[in-house]
Amino acid sequence: MKRILFVFLFLLGATEATAQQGTCEMSMAGKYLDAGNVRAYIPNDGRLFRGHAGEYYEPGINFEAPKGIGANSIYAASLWVGGNIDDEFRAAGTRYGWAEFWAGPLDEAGNPPADCKPFDHIWEIRTADIDSFYTDGHISQNLQNWPWQLGAPVVDGDGDPTNYNLAGGDLPELLGDQRLWWIMNDRGNQHESTVSEPIGIEVHASAFAFNNPGPLGNFTFYEYEIINKNSKPLTDAYVSMFADVDLGDFSDDYVGSDSLLQYGYAYNSDNLDDGCGVGIIPPAVGFTFLPTIAGDADGIDNNFDGIVDEEGEMVGISSVLYNVEPYMIDRYKNVMEGRLEYGDTMYKGGRGYESWGFPSNLPLTPTRFAYSGDPVTGTFWSEFNVDDLGTPNDPYDRNLVTTMGQFDIASGEKKTIRLAIVWSQGTDHLHSVRLLKKDVTGVRNTGDALFTANLPERPQKRNAPINGFVLGFDQNFPNPFTESTTIRYSLPQDMQVRLTVFDMLGREVQTLVEQRQAAGTYNINFEAGNLPAGMYLARIELDYLQFTKRMTLMR
């Protein structure tokens, strides 16, 4: 029995012992996410926005908002993943160069492809691809080339989850109105930024946006499915988003954080951006990880709401640090665990560094959330009030690291990480901060609905022929909506109409129409009132016909 146990343990450790680091070249693919009001360059090497010499990159266009303005709100960003294999902290990440993710999957032994180039691609699906397929049967290159074999998500239409059969009703899982998808791993070559051993993870990554004229069109969303292909668990893991936030002119920025609303953000120090394109109404931009991982009964307030190990607690944002420039694994570890890069504690006051002219009137209060005071009201500790006496910081270039953790990923397990980057522009630089808070709240309250497949209905379901005429039942507008939305339908003849709104549990919320109506077009307003954010169904019943549309309410 002991010998059998020894052999079992030996085989269990074989993947880690025999998995090889690859010799892949740097990934070069990239595409623009531009369905909404933002135009953001997405490379497939773990970084965001900062381009390389890839086919699609236009120099100077990193994260342009609104698109066409000629100014960036973010210069560069990067995904960091870190945690312990046994007692050794490992990480994959970078700030600008030396990316530590390479194109392609890992095999069952945890090895990268011998050649990563065939996987060096970002795949795309748009609403227009599906509309065209529904309308005239045209199969676009985006539809034809969807990499379902690599794990790109598919909405199953033929009852067989092991294939991708367009004729049978299968379709790519569209999120928003444009979804980019790519696959990468951290074993493709040497880690030259963190200077650590590879973790052994495969990442299925997505970026998506909504074509919406309202606030939703200003937001971009990111989903990372992290699969542990190491034979050993990844413990005490963290995921961070590093961002060099240049709001137009890089030299006049401030940063802040909100541990309760779970986001880090950047904003302009004054109401003029010195002519770098943003204009006289500087925006604010926020980074928030959405709750996707259940917290353990670990005695830690994982979501920083003041309650430890409550029922339903989810892992939240654990720290927001600023102006850190880690190099080598020990410094990445410090930052991801909520300390300054050399291991020092951050304190509330001044610049957060005890040795950097810390205000003499303040106690040393440890914190992991930089500038958590409200700059709008001037409360301590914001960059407008660093000493509780109203003294501001000198504005300058800022970077920001927003971290979510900690959690474990067992061998073979997958964890899903969701990030929203929220861009808000008000009537002045501080109104942008107030608006950002409202927008982040709306995104977080809406939650899973934003990450739900958004597939247009087939025309024959949307416009059913009746005696040679066509019934029209259009998507509500706007959608998603925050307070009210309009439901539009057209009747080809006199019909009995019942229009009802349901929640996703099938409970009736409100009956909007219940009467016989003459032929014509009708616009029915739906007021959300005090309904919680989420997905709702608008159902229209017409004589013997019935049609349903999904509506998304944001708060």
Side-chain angles (χ1 to χ4, degrees), residues 240-257:
S240 301
M241 181 56 60
F242 165 86
D244 185 337
V245 281
D246 294 351
L247 291 168
D249 181 4
F250 70 88
S251 66
D252 59 354
D253 293 343
Y254 278 160
V255 294
S257 66

Side-chain angles (χ1 to χ4, degrees), residues 457-509:
E457 295 184 53
R458 290 183 181 272
Q460 60 265 32
K461 294 181 180 179
R462 187 171 60 228
N463 298 307
I466 305 175
N467 296 334
F469 296 92
V470 175
L471 165 72
F473 183 35
D474 298 331
Q475 185 65 56
N476 61 299
F477 183 84
N479 187 51
F481 63 102
T482 55
E483 296 178 356
S484 65
T485 189
T486 297
I487 302 170
R488 179 187 177 94
Y489 59 90
S490 300
L491 304 179
Q493 61 191 40
D494 183 280
M495 305 185 78
Q496 180 67 30
V497 178
R498 187 170 194 265
L499 179 62
T500 316
V501 176
F502 295 85
D503 65 18
M504 292 302 287
L505 297 178
R507 297 174 298 197
E508 185 173 316
V509 172

Side-chain angles (χ1 to χ4, degrees), residues 104-367:
L106 298 177
D107 64 19
E108 292 303 315
N111 293 308
D115 181 5
C116 290
K117 287 182 180 179
F119 306 99
D120 190 8
H121 191 77
I122 288 186
W123 291 268
E124 178 181 27
I125 189 70
R126 292 179 182 257
T127 304
D129 295 307
I130 298 174
D131 277 340
S132 178
F133 178 63
Y134 279 171
T135 301
D136 56 21
H138 173 67
I139 299 177
S140 67
Q141 290 294 311
N142 288 342
L143 279 174
Q144 181 176 329
N145 297 331
W146 191 246
W148 65 276
Q149 307 96 324
L150 296 176
V154 171
V155 176
D156 183 24
D158 65 357
D160 182 356
T162 66
N163 69 357
Y164 176 56
N165 179 14
L166 288 170
D170 292 348
L171 285 171
E173 184 185 76
L174 174 64
L175 300 180
D177 290 298
Q178 178 198 12
R179 182 181 192 174
L180 305 179
W181 190 92
W182 64 103
I183 184 170
M184 56 189 183
N185 70 85
D186 86 317
R187 278 197 186 273
N189 211 313
Q190 293 184 0
H191 287 210
E192 296 185 4
S193 290
T194 61
V195 194
S196 78
E197 290 296 313
I199 303 169
I201 53 176
E202 176 179 306
V203 180
H204 297 183
S206 290
F208 65 95
F210 291 85
N211 179 15
N212 190 290
L216 188 61
N218 298 329
F219 313 153
T220 56
F221 301 90
Y222 309 84
E223 183 173 83
Y224 300 97
E225 294 183 333
I226 301 173
I227 305 169
N228 182 10
K229 290 290 187 77
N230 199 309
S231 65
K232 299 180 179 180
L234 179 66
T235 60
D236 297 330
Y238 295 89
V239 172
S240 301
M241 181 56 60
F242 165 86
D244 185 337
V245 281
D246 294 351
L247 291 168
D249 181 4
F250 70 88
S251 66
D252 59 354
D253 293 343
Y254 278 160
V255 294
S257 66
D258 190 319
S259 61
L260 294 179
L261 284 180
Q262 298 274 287
Y263 70 105
Y265 64 98
Y267 60 104
N268 222 62
S269 61
D270 56 29
N271 206 37
L272 182 65
D273 198 61
D274 299 330
C276 281
V278 174
I280 62 172
I281 309 178
V285 61
F287 303 82
T288 182
F289 286 105
L290 303 178
T292 56
I293 299 174
D296 298 324
D298 51 11
I300 299 173
D301 181 13
N302 288 296
N303 55 4
F304 293 90
D305 63 355
I307 305 174
V308 175
D309 291 340
E310 77 267 28
E311 184 178 356
E313 182 179 56
M314 304 292 283
V315 174
I317 291 178
S318 53
S319 65
V320 177
L321 304 182
Y322 84 107
N323 279 24
V324 293
E325 299 181 356
Y327 175 68
M328 302 185 67
I329 189 60
D330 288 347
R331 299 181 190 179
Y332 274 89
K333 180 177 187 289
N334 287 333
V335 172
M336 298 184 82
E337 292 181 344
R339 297 181 297 274
L340 302 177
E341 60 186 283
Y342 291 100
D344 300 316
T345 300
M346 182 169 61
Y347 297 104
K348 294 180 68 172
R351 298 179 183 176
Y353 302 75
E354 184 181 1
S355 61
W356 282 26
F358 194 83
S360 59
N361 62 308
L362 296 176
L364 291 176
T365 305
T367 183

Side-chain angles (χ1 to χ4, degrees), residues 254-256 265 267 371-379 382-384 430 433:
Y254 278 160
V255 294
Y265 64 98
Y267 60 104
Y371 299 113
S372 54
D374 188 345
V376 176
T377 60
T379 56
S382 76
E383 294 218 60
F384 278 119
L430 291 181
V433 175

